[in-house]
Amino acid sequence: MDERKRVLSLIQPSGVPTIGNYLGAFKNWRAMQENYDCLFGAADLHAITVRTEPKTLRENTRSIFALLLAVGIDPEKSVVFVQSRVPEHAQLAWLLNCCTQFGEAARMTQFKDKSATHADNINVGLFAYPTLMAADILLYQADYVPVGQDQKQHLELTRTIAERFNFSYGETFTVPEPFIGKSGARIMSLQEPSKKMSKSDLNTKAFISMLDEPSVITKKIKSAVTDSEAKVRFAPGKDGVNNLMDIYSCCTGKDYEAIEREFDGHGYGDFKNAVAEALVSELGPVQGEYKRLISDKAYIDSRAAEGSRTAELFARRTLAKAMRKMGFYDPDGR
Ligand code: TYM
């Protein structure tokens, strides 16, 4: 019997991921592969809750897949797949929609935020986004879901849905736990550090994309908002500096006290140079590997097809179980 716990997490292919995605999610995913049975992938069904050009969706999905491999997600160790290639996600999502209250979905802050930013396209998919996410997780009986802080509420709803289903129809789903890293769980905007860093920010100086050139990274860090105290210390009210310390800590493994000591007597200029350097050396190898992989279309396509077929083998079993428990008629009598 396999004693290892199972881990699942996905990312939306909605543009080049930021260092928020990298530090809050990818870095943990890469590390977790060593001790858990992991599934990672591209949540392309989630990406269409916001209007997306067909060509862009296709390119972004292949690109995110290549980037997952480039950060060190190893398809020999983990199942790496594309959500839409596994139709069971949409099927289970429908069953879960019918186990979720309107009020529960309406409370989701991401739904409220996205309704505000996409007021001309508040589609039903945007509303049902968290039940599709619950299906992603529950289909694979995941024990842990490594995510950034912003996804915690969706994880709580997933747990509620799983518990409700198990209570109503008998033990069916593993109730998953979020796994949120100590550092990097909420990387903030470089320009408005009270706001989460997001790749869809209209101000490109507010985020660093994982594929930004070293000179761009350095420039963006140098123009990051700080404060007038000119002292590198982690404290309430110093959102900009706290954020840079968090980024530096993720890249170097140093804790805040060590960072404070390192920059004692130095101004923000020196500190920012060090943060930029740490980021550039962290992302350099990933960028190199990404360039190599994205030009090998046949390799990416075959890995994506293979990973998705493997994922479907798991997913099919859980969907069949859930349907049986719910009482669906199966004329084949299985
Ligand atoms: P998405 O695509 O917005 O982001 C992918 C991952 O990156 C994390 N993240 C951050 N972490 C720290 N700081 C930030 N500024 C930051 N921005 C993003 C996110 O928390 C996430 O872990 N709904 C999910 C995708 C999804 C999913 C799933 C995740 C679909 N199905 C099943 C887990 C399990 C999302 O939109 O993530």
Side-chain angles (χ1 to χ4, degrees):
M1 244 288 287
D2 191 356
E3 295 290 318
R4 300 221 302 183
K5 297 276 189 194
R6 189 163 300 156
V7 163
L8 172 130
S9 205
L10 306 182
I11 177 164
Q12 292 191 73
S14 52
V16 181
T18 68
I19 56 165
N21 300 118
Y22 178 72
L23 301 174
F26 291 162
K27 265 197 104 167
N28 293 330
W29 299 6
R30 180 171 64 207
M32 288 178 103
Q33 298 185 101
E34 306 309 325
N35 298 310
Y36 301 94
D37 284 336
C38 297
L39 297 109
F40 299 118
D44 53 347
L45 294 173
H46 279 107
I48 60 164
T49 55
V50 170
R51 268 191 210 103
T52 311
E53 283 294 319
K55 183 169 177 282
T56 309
L57 178 66
R58 202 172 294 120
E59 282 171 3
N60 281 352
T61 309
R62 185 182 291 115
S63 155
I64 207 96
F65 197 91
L67 199 55
L68 286 176
L69 303 192
V71 298
I73 305 296
D74 179 353
E76 297 293 329
K77 288 186 185 152
S78 303
V79 178
V80 198
F81 71 101
V82 177
Q83 183 192 34
S84 66
R85 302 305 300 164
V86 184
E88 285 80 359
H89 287 252
Q91 289 174 271
L92 182 62
W94 176 254
L95 308 190
L96 301 184
N97 277 337
C98 301
C99 302
T100 307
Q101 296 302 303
F102 186 91
E104 289 172 321
R107 268 199 297 279
M108 295 294 108
T109 46
Q110 184 171 308
F111 172 67
K112 291 187 209 161
D113 292 349
K114 285 211 175 166
S115 303
T117 45
H118 301 278
D120 61 336
N121 184 24
I122 308 176
N123 59 76
V124 175
L126 194 60
F127 186 70
Y129 182 111
T131 47
L132 176 60
M133 182 162 158
D136 300 338
I137 298 165
L138 301 182
L139 265 183
Y140 300 96
Q141 308 286 18
D143 298 286
Y144 300 116
V145 184
V147 285
Q149 193 68 42
D150 62 324
Q151 295 300 316
K152 192 163 175 247
Q153 195 186 30
H154 288 158
L155 254 295
E156 277 158 12
L157 181 58
T158 301
R159 287 171 58 85
T160 303
I161 297 171
E163 281 163 357
R164 183 176 298 147
F165 193 105
N166 289 347
F167 180 78
S168 305
Y169 302 108
E171 208 52 36
T172 308
F173 297 121
T174 302
V175 180
E177 279 179 42
F179 176 96
I180 297 175
K182 275 200 269 322
S183 54
R186 191 168 169 81
I187 300 294
M188 310 307 275
S189 154
L190 299 176
Q191 293 300 316
E192 287 172 78
S194 57
K195 219 173 83 178
K196 185 188 80 163
M197 181 181 285
S198 160
K199 56 186 166 245
S200 49
D201 203 309
L202 295 175
N203 181 356
T204 55
K205 278 161 70 181
F207 62 87
I208 293 177
S209 123
M210 283 182 65
L211 300 177
D212 275 347
E213 296 285 338
S215 62
V216 176
I217 294 177
T218 306
K219 217 158 125 195
K220 287 182 179 176
I221 292 289
K222 282 194 171 160
S223 67
V225 167
T226 49
D227 53 59
S228 56
E229 192 195 33
K231 191 166 169 51
V232 178
R233 64 183 188 106
F234 197 93
K238 287 175 70 75
D239 293 347
V241 171
N242 294 349
N243 190 38
L244 293 176
M245 286 179 77
D246 199 18
I247 294 171
Y248 191 62
S249 167
C250 288
C251 295
T252 60
K254 295 174 185 167
D255 63 22
Y256 296 145
E257 276 177 22
I259 299 172
E260 286 172 1
R261 276 197 306 275
E262 183 178 351
F263 294 98
D264 193 22
H266 292 261
Y268 290 152
D270 289 347
F271 175 51
K272 283 180 165 178
N273 282 336
V275 176
E277 244 171 65
L279 257 181
V280 167
S281 57
E282 176 82 29
L283 292 177
V286 176
Q287 296 183 348
E289 188 60 3
Y290 172 78
K291 279 194 194 117
R292 191 182 73 75
L293 285 165
I294 198 65
S295 59
D296 193 348
K297 181 173 174 295
Y299 176 75
I300 295 300
D301 291 350
S302 76
R303 282 299 191 178
E306 192 187 324
S308 304
R309 276 195 297 273
T310 308
E312 196 178 7
L313 297 178
F314 284 92
R316 199 178 291 153
R317 240 180 306 161
T318 315
L319 179 69
K321 183 176 174 189
M323 290 184 73
R324 199 168 54 241
K325 297 260 190 180
M326 268 186 135
F328 282 95
Y329 168 49
D330 179 355
D332 294 322
R334 280 179 299 230

